Amino acid sequence: MDWDTRRPPGTSVASTHQGPLSPVLSMRLPCARALAIVLSLLSATLAASYRQHKEIIGEDFMEDFNVEGIPDPTHGRVTYVNKATAQRSNLTYATKTRFILRADSESVVKRGERGRQSVRVRSKDSYRRHVAVFDIRHMPEGCGTWPAVWEVGDNWPHGGEIDILEGVNNIGPNAATLHTGANCAMDANRSGQKGEQAKNNDCDVSAGRSNLGCSVRMRDARSYGTPFNKAGGGYYAVERASNHIKVWFWTRSAANVPASVKSGAKTVDPDTWGTPDAYFPGGQNCDIDKKFGPQHIIINLTFCGDWAGNANAYGAAGCPRTCIDFVDNNPQEFKNAYFDIASLRTYIP
Ligand SMILES: *[C@@H]1O[C@H](CO)[C@@H](O)[C@H](O)[C@H]1NC(C)=O
Ligand SMILES: *[C@@H]1O[C@H](CO)[C@@H](O)[C@H](O)[C@H]1NC(C)=O
Ligand SMILES: *[C@@H]1O[C@H](CO)[C@@H](O)[C@H](O)[C@H]1NC(C)=O
């Protein structure tokens, strides 16, 4: 579902206020004007505020997400299982307070199989302008792993892709990346973010080579892999507004985790969260409302494939033998290839 366009006409915030406000017209002018000023100040301060749409904790993940047993379009050494298999094999596991999504760490991959069994989940809801806050205790780590928390629209790349947490072979820190259709580029030398942008700032998947996208690498090593897990994980947040996309990361014990993020508040105002790790400004160079359609949230864990299995990326990480051989024959190496997610809260304007 797309929460911007699904709202029936005439029920926007502005129009529901029309009834109660109509007495304004009969007030004496100074009073009406004072009220108008107060209202405009109010709407200015509310501009960046979002209200909670979903609070997804533990077993809710199995309700609010579909398990997708589909082939990996990026050619990963993976067999994505369906919901029944995921539950039977304990590759998804939920309690009141946690949701686990993991790869099989018991079996050798047999000849003829597509790859190591793992799970991909996709939110039933889709979002245009929104905020999503992920509280993650543990993420998959290790050679050959390619985990991702991301958002994607229809008819890729035309509906856009926002990679919030993604990487390969335990190489951190995290990079946040956009992938889009034509005509979406970022300023190569922008301020307003803590991270470091990659050389390629054209988000168009067909610009340059091999679908790099426009990427910003975070500076905190605890944003990815083993250091992330050693620190007890942390919080990831994304804001998609009409004029920008921002991504934040706070390690578990950071002193500057916003109170609304920590407490799972019913409303959030990302303008109060401080400088984001990644900042993708919209405007002339990238019309965010046009380049990004309604998007689903996806959490997946694949292996090897176009990125993690690339001989350079794999070897440079100090990983043994070849990626496929390692993934196929060493189930015990994948004991830590799991997500433990405490909560996901989504917010809409
Ligand atoms: C899993 O995640 C990666 C990283 O974002 C993505 O490129 C890949 O297409 C995904 N695979 C599937 C089947 O979703
Ligand atoms: C499934 O995984 C959870 C979490 O790792 C574990 O506590 C539980 O015992 C497992 N269940 C089975 C049947 O193995
Ligand atoms: C980026 O901007 C800074 C400050 O405006 C400037 O000093 C620097 O030379 C610029 N770098 C590039 C690559 O344009």
Side-chain angles (χ1 to χ4, degrees), residues 68-145:
E68 297 191 301
I70 59 168
D72 179 354
T74 47
H75 314 110
R77 189 72 179 167
V78 73
T79 300
Y80 281 125
V81 298
N82 63 24
K83 185 172 181 174
T85 306
Q87 290 182 312
R88 194 176 54 243
S89 310
N90 213 17
L91 301 185
T92 55
Y93 171 79
T95 66
K96 292 258 174 295
T97 56
R98 66 181 53 213
F99 173 64
I100 307 264
L101 180 159
R102 70 174 135 224
D104 167 75
S105 59
E106 283 164 10
S107 319
V108 166
V109 176
K110 291 182 215 62
R111 187 170 301 193
E113 276 185 316
R114 217 182 259 139
R116 181 156 299 286
Q117 290 199 345
S118 184
V119 182
R120 164 183 160 120
V121 296
R122 185 178 102 135
S123 66
K124 292 179 181 170
D125 290 347
S126 66
Y127 300 87
R128 285 180 195 267
R129 287 184 291 142
H130 72 285
V131 167
V133 180
F134 302 82
D135 179 343
I136 303 176
R137 298 189 186 97
H138 187 282
M139 66 171 290
E141 60 173 76
C143 284
T145 59

Side-chain angles (χ1 to χ4, degrees), residues 3-340:
W3 292 94
D4 272 7
T5 56
R6 263 188 88 256
R7 185 183 290 148
T11 62
S12 71
V13 175
S15 61
T16 52
H17 282 173
Q18 263 164 23
L21 285 187
S22 42
V24 165
L25 299 174
S26 61
M27 281 180 205
R28 279 174 297 125
L29 193 60
C31 175
R33 184 179 292 159
L35 187 57
I37 290 169
V38 168
L39 284 172
S40 79
L41 285 173
L42 204 63
S43 73
T45 54
L46 288 177
S49 154
Y50 297 75
R51 66 199 152 83
Q52 198 174 88
H53 168 61
K54 282 271 170 77
E55 178 173 66
I56 303 170
I57 299 178
E59 287 145 4
D60 301 338
F61 276 91
M62 297 313 281
E63 292 299 315
D64 289 313
F65 281 76
N66 289 316
V67 176
E68 297 191 301
I70 59 168
D72 179 354
T74 47
H75 314 110
R77 189 72 179 167
V78 73
T79 300
Y80 281 125
V81 298
N82 63 24
K83 185 172 181 174
T85 306
Q87 290 182 312
R88 194 176 54 243
S89 310
N90 213 17
L91 301 185
T92 55
Y93 171 79
T95 66
K96 292 258 174 295
T97 56
R98 66 181 53 213
F99 173 64
I100 307 264
L101 180 159
R102 70 174 135 224
D104 167 75
S105 59
E106 283 164 10
S107 319
V108 166
V109 176
K110 291 182 215 62
R111 187 170 301 193
E113 276 185 316
R114 217 182 259 139
R116 181 156 299 286
Q117 290 199 345
S118 184
V119 182
R120 164 183 160 120
V121 296
R122 185 178 102 135
S123 66
K124 292 179 181 170
D125 290 347
S126 66
Y127 300 87
R128 285 180 195 267
R129 287 184 291 142
H130 72 285
V131 167
V133 180
F134 302 82
D135 179 343
I136 303 176
R137 298 189 186 97
H138 187 282
M139 66 171 290
E141 60 173 76
C143 284
T145 59
W146 179 357
V149 174
W150 54 301
E151 302 186 349
V152 68
D154 292 335
N155 190 20
W156 188 91
H158 303 292
E161 171 180 336
I162 305 172
D163 299 328
I164 301 160
L165 167 56
E166 185 190 12
V168 295
N169 301 325
N170 244 18
I171 307 168
N174 182 51
T177 308
L178 306 186
H179 301 268
T180 65
N183 302 319
C184 177
M186 296 295 136
D187 186 338
N189 192 16
R190 58 194 187 274
S191 54
Q193 61 186 1
K194 289 188 191 154
E196 181 186 8
Q197 67 251 33
K199 284 203 184 72
N200 182 61
N201 284 284
D202 195 337
C203 315
D204 177 356
V205 299
S206 55
R209 55 184 173 81
S210 63
N211 177 23
L212 286 173
C214 53
S215 192
V216 177
R217 188 163 298 280
M218 299 182 171
R219 294 182 195 272
D220 189 337
R222 294 168 299 183
S223 59
Y224 193 82
T226 308
F228 176 92
N229 295 332
K230 283 210 171 115
Y235 307 88
Y236 268 96
V238 61
E239 179 192 18
R240 171 175 160 197
S242 288
N243 54 355
H244 62 248
I245 291 168
K246 294 178 177 175
V247 179
W248 289 261
F249 166 71
W250 299 276
T251 192
R252 177 72 53 202
S253 62
N256 65 339
V257 184
S260 58
V261 166
K262 227 174 181 165
S263 70
K266 292 294 177 202
T267 62
V268 293
D269 178 357
D271 283 0
T272 65
W273 288 353
T275 306
D277 294 272
Y279 171 51
F280 302 99
Q284 269 183 340
N285 294 333
C286 184
D287 184 337
I288 296 206
D289 287 337
K290 286 217 179 85
K291 294 293 148 194
F292 294 82
Q295 294 194 314
H296 294 271
I297 299 168
I298 299 188
I299 304 170
N300 73 344
L301 168 58
T302 186
F303 303 97
C304 308
D306 295 346
W307 185 11
N310 169 296
N312 291 328
Y314 186 77
C319 289
R321 301 189 293 281
T322 66
C323 192
I324 289 178
D325 174 57
F326 182 76
V327 166
D328 281 3
N329 296 310
N330 298 281
Q332 72 288 352
E333 297 289 344
F334 296 88
K335 293 248 179 279
N336 282 320
Y338 69 93
F339 280 106
D340 177 347

